[in-house]
Amino acid sequence: VPEDQNSERDMADATDLISLEQAGTLPALLRERVRRSPESVAYVPHDAAGDRWLETTWRQMAAETARWQAGLRREALRPGDRVALMLRNCREWVCFDMAAAGLGLITVPLYTNDRPENIRNILREADVKLLLLETAEQWRTLQAAVQDLDGLARILIQQAENATAGDGRAVTLARWLPAQGGEFEVGEVASDSLATIVYTSGTTGNPKGVMLSHRNLLWNVQASLRTTEVYPADRFLSFLPLSHALERTGGYYLPMAAGASVAYCRSVAQLGEDLQRIRPTILIAVPRIFERVYARIQEKLAGESELARRLFAAAVAVGWRRFERQQGRAAWSPALLGWPLLDRLVAAKIRARLGGQLRIAVCGGAPLAPDIGRFFLGLGVPLIQGYGLTEASPVVSVNTPQDNIPDSVG
């Protein structure tokens, strides 16, 4: 390999991790990332009007987050106050969360499809002072449920123009957000202080609020990064809700600590198309995503010839044997000589449907059937699985690429 190509490869394989000791708190994590790589791409949202993907740098994210802080300061909020948001995954989710954290506020994420009575219970129990909504439709659905919550002093609506009538607390984001914000503020926030309250379903009754500190979340990020390396050149595709601890830690704080970029999927229905347009190197998903892909492949195979079905089965079987040998659990077999052809005819086409660039595909949140795990691993999809709890921020255990047994999790 020419020396200049070796140099480029070394740069692509170099990590730039921010440790717990170097950050300490979530807003300090953003500040350190901006200091290290201000002009690197941080987020890639989709612009529906122009049907294009736009890139935002870390410096731009800090400036935008400072605008949110300027708006929050005008609400007379105090450190320790709780603020909630009900948004799909987007840059604004990050801006709101980091702006609040920098001011010592506690973020309470809400699921966009939750029932009004659940939202009301959470807002009341957490004593939320400010609520950010995405759409006017959300506000119409929630308005009756929250009208008597006296502690809720402000409701912001992101995508609305004339949807705030009838409640003086409601205001559109366009009117509320200042044009300028100055410098992004990282306040005197202790690492062990409360950062967020994440409501998760309990065994009985209403959802329970899990209290997580800055250290809880950043320690979990640091521990997760010890299982496999993440590089600044990596790109995540984010589609699991950020209100879920898995996506928030693994698909938001972890990429920030590693300097990787995050693209936001338009919707689960458009995930297949977005995978091919974004071509991510890292994907965090739940079993149902892999189950759907598996079911569609099986459905298509049912209409193929007997020869095509046998060829596909051979690719999975030989690919699995190849994977087991790479893991040190199987001996070499003459059947492995057929892998290059089977890969080109079968496996590579499946990987191309997932973007063709995946280095890591994480599956968590629920058990994945072992045969489906072996199916994707056999086709060369770099699938690893983990187990976690929101109370653990959330990762408890995870396969590593070098020690990966698909039926050991769940």
Side-chain angles (χ1 to χ4, degrees), residues 55 98 101 127 232 249 252 283 344 408:
E55 295 184 341
M98 283 293 173
D127 192 21
T249 295
Y252 163 19
L283 180 71
R344 186 169 68 253
S408 66

Side-chain angles (χ1 to χ4, degrees), residues 66-296:
R67 292 176 62 203
W68 286 81
Q69 285 188 327
L72 290 170
R73 287 191 198 96
R74 296 189 307 200
E75 295 297 334
L77 296 165
R78 299 179 178 180
D81 283 345
R82 288 77 187 271
V83 293
L85 72 166
M86 192 174 175
L87 300 180
R88 291 177 297 174
N89 297 7
C90 58
R91 289 179 307 173
E92 289 77 13
W93 212 108
V94 175
C95 289
F96 183 90
D97 182 47
M98 283 293 173
L103 298 177
L105 305 175
I106 314 304
T107 303
V108 182
L110 304 170
Y111 285 98
T112 57
N113 59 352
D114 206 351
R115 295 177 297 170
E117 55 266 36
N118 278 349
I119 299 298
R120 171 188 166 78
N121 289 337
I122 292 171
L123 297 176
R124 180 178 58 193
E125 180 177 280
D127 192 21
V128 169
K129 306 295 185 184
L130 180 146
L131 170 63
L132 170 62
L133 301 174
E134 181 175 355
T135 66
E137 181 180 355
Q138 287 176 340
W139 174 230
R140 286 191 291 269
T141 302
L142 288 174
Q143 190 168 6
V146 304
Q147 62 183 356
D148 64 340
L149 295 181
D150 296 333
L152 183 60
R154 177 66 69 199
I155 298 102
L156 307 176
I157 307 172
Q158 182 185 26
Q159 298 175 5
E161 293 181 0
N162 300 307
T164 60
D167 194 320
R169 300 173 296 176
V171 63
T172 62
L173 187 61
R175 289 181 53 195
W176 180 86
L177 195 61
Q180 300 293 329
E183 293 293 322
F184 170 57
E185 177 183 342
V186 177
E188 296 296 324
V189 181
S191 181
D192 287 318
S193 64
L194 183 62
T196 188
I197 304 175
V198 182
Y199 279 80
T200 181
S201 298
T203 53
T204 59
N206 293 326
K208 312 300 191 296
V210 176
M211 302 169 70
L212 300 175
S213 71
H214 295 261
R215 181 184 296 273
N216 290 155
L217 294 160
L218 291 177
W219 191 95
N220 201 261
V221 166
Q222 182 169 279
S224 297
L225 285 169
R226 290 175 179 165
T227 66
T228 188
E229 291 186 325
V230 177
Y231 309 108
D234 278 318
R235 175 152 294 176
F236 290 65
L237 181 61
S238 175
F239 70 96
L240 296 183
L242 280 166
S243 47
H244 192 287
L246 174 59
E247 181 65 23
R248 189 169 174 191
T249 295
Y252 163 19
Y253 298 137
L254 187 149
M256 187 177 291
S261 61
V262 178
Y264 292 114
C265 182
R266 290 172 292 172
S267 68
V268 174
Q270 295 168 297
L271 176 60
E273 182 181 346
D274 288 354
L275 280 166
Q276 296 186 47
R277 292 179 68 174
I278 294 298
R279 305 183 73 198
T281 60
I282 300 179
L283 180 71
I284 300 174
V286 289
R288 64 185 177 89
I289 298 300
F290 296 100
E291 291 164 357
R292 285 178 181 177
V293 175
Y294 176 82
R296 288 172 184 171

Side-chain angles (χ1 to χ4, degrees), residues 296-311:
R296 288 172 184 171
I297 292 172
Q298 296 301 322
E299 183 179 355
K300 184 178 180 182
L301 281 174
E304 297 287 346
S305 66
E306 177 69 18
L307 176 61
R309 291 196 296 271
R310 290 193 176 199
L311 189 66

